[in-house]
């Protein structure tokens, strides 16, 4: 649970920034009276939702489309969280630098992102994906300490992953020219979405009892070590 890991780093008076908050689910799940909680979002359908839901709670919401220039002063936050965002950002180094800028000394940057070695195909909606060393090297450019965790699944999750991998290979075997890695990613986004939906529906039909039984409690966050089969990287960097 993200909240359980993050909670041990936070005090009730901390100022938090949630980057690309989506519908604000993480902030709405917090039960602590943090002094000031802020959020940003750039995806248009989510912006209106965030203005309505987060605004009513007094959360400082900002629409932001450029992560390399944040609309905040220097050293105003104690914690910045970024869940499944950095893989979508072209200028990732500038993004990390901006996060460090808005954090106070000793502040924490909590970032999650897909673990590249576990990806079954290229995701054309991602600018890039990272392995653990790549993400650590990126964060260490602007942070003094980096703690590495990974999001893993139990045997039920791994069984679904194996079935998914087999199903995906049945589709990608037709890509004999490896076009998924050769073509510009924007050309692949619509075909990827269509094939992904088709594959997931097929998996659900063939493994209905397995897929229906999976819940968030089947996942856990553990310290990362080399070779760990984790689906997401979950790092905590200290300024």
């Amino acid at each position: 649970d993200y909240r359980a890991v993050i909670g041990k780093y936070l005090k009730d008076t901390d100022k938090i920034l949630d980057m690309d908050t989506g519908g604000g689910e993480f902030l709405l799940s917090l039960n602590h009276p943090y002094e000031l909680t802020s959020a940003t979002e750039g995806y248009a359908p989510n912006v209106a939702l965030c203005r309505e839901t987060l605004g009513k709670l007094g959360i400082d919401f900002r629409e932001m489309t450029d992560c390399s220039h944040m609309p905040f002063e220097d050293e105003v936050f104690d914690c910045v969280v970024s869940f499944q965002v950095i893989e979508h950002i072209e200028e990732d180094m500038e993004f990390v630098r901006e996060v460090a800028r808005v954090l106070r000394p000793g502040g924490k940057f909590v970032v999650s992102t897909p673990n590249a070695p576990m990806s079954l195909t290229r995701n054309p909606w991602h600018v890039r994906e990272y392995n653990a060393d790549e993400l650590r090297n990126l964060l260490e450019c602007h942070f003094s300490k980096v703690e590495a965790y990974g999001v893993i699944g139990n045997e039920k999750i791994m069984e679904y992953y194996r079935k998914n991998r087999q199903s995906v290979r049945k589709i990608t075997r037709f890509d004999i020219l490896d076009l998924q890695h050769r073509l510009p990613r924007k050309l692949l986004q619509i075909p990827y979405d269509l094939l992904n939906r088709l594959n997931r529906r097929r998996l659900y039909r063939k493994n209905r009892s397995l897929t229906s039984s999976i819940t968030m409690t089947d996942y856990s966050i553990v310290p990362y070590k080399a070779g760990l089969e984790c689906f997401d990287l979950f790092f905590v960097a200290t300024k």
Side-chain angles (χ1 to χ4, degrees), residues 100-116:
R101 179 184 66 79
V102 301
L103 277 170
R104 294 169 175 167
K108 309 291 185 182
F109 177 34
V110 182
V111 53
S112 74
T113 190
N115 181 27

Side-chain angles (χ1 to χ4, degrees), residues 9-155:
Y9 295 101
L10 297 178
K11 303 184 297 293
D12 286 351
T13 56
D14 279 350
K15 297 182 179 180
I16 304 170
L17 170 62
D18 186 7
M19 298 292 301
D20 270 20
T21 190
E25 293 84 0
F26 172 72
L27 293 181
L28 295 174
S29 74
L30 295 176
N31 296 317
H32 297 281
Y34 298 114
E35 180 183 338
L36 171 65
T37 304
S38 300
T40 65
E41 176 60 50
Y43 181 53
N46 287 337
V47 168
L49 175 63
C50 288
R51 290 193 191 282
E52 179 179 356
T53 58
L54 300 183
K56 289 179 179 178
L57 298 175
I59 293 173
D60 176 26
F61 172 73
R62 311 281 186 96
E63 182 176 2
M64 188 178 73
T65 57
D66 184 2
C67 291
S68 63
H69 295 86
M70 297 185 190
F72 301 104
E73 299 296 324
D74 295 353
E75 300 184 357
V76 293
F77 296 104
D78 299 288
C79 181
V80 174
V81 296
S82 170
F83 301 141
Q84 311 303 97
V85 174
I86 195 170
E87 65 272 11
H88 298 277
I89 296 175
E90 292 279 358
E91 305 295 337
D92 58 345
M93 180 65 78
E94 288 75 8
F95 169 60
V96 173
R97 183 189 63 221
E98 275 291 279
V99 170
R101 179 184 66 79
V102 301
L103 277 170
R104 294 169 175 167
K108 309 291 185 182
F109 177 34
V110 182
V111 53
S112 74
T113 190
N115 181 27
M118 294 291 282
S119 293
L120 300 177
T121 62
R122 177 191 182 189
N123 185 334
W125 294 97
H126 295 168
V127 174
R128 72 186 65 76
E129 292 184 356
Y130 305 84
N131 62 38
D133 288 339
E134 290 168 340
L135 184 59
R136 180 184 295 276
N137 291 338
L138 176 64
L139 295 175
E140 286 181 342
C141 290
H142 294 283
F143 291 88
S144 60
K145 179 183 178 182
V146 176
E147 300 169 71
Y149 298 88
V151 180
I152 64 170
N154 60 18
E155 181 52 38

Side-chain angles (χ1 to χ4, degrees), residues 202-216:
R202 180 188 302 162
L203 276 173
Y204 180 74
R205 288 196 304 269
K206 292 184 176 181
N207 307 276
R208 192 179 299 269
S209 61
L210 173 62
T211 55
S212 299
S213 68
I214 291 174
T215 68
M216 290 303 298

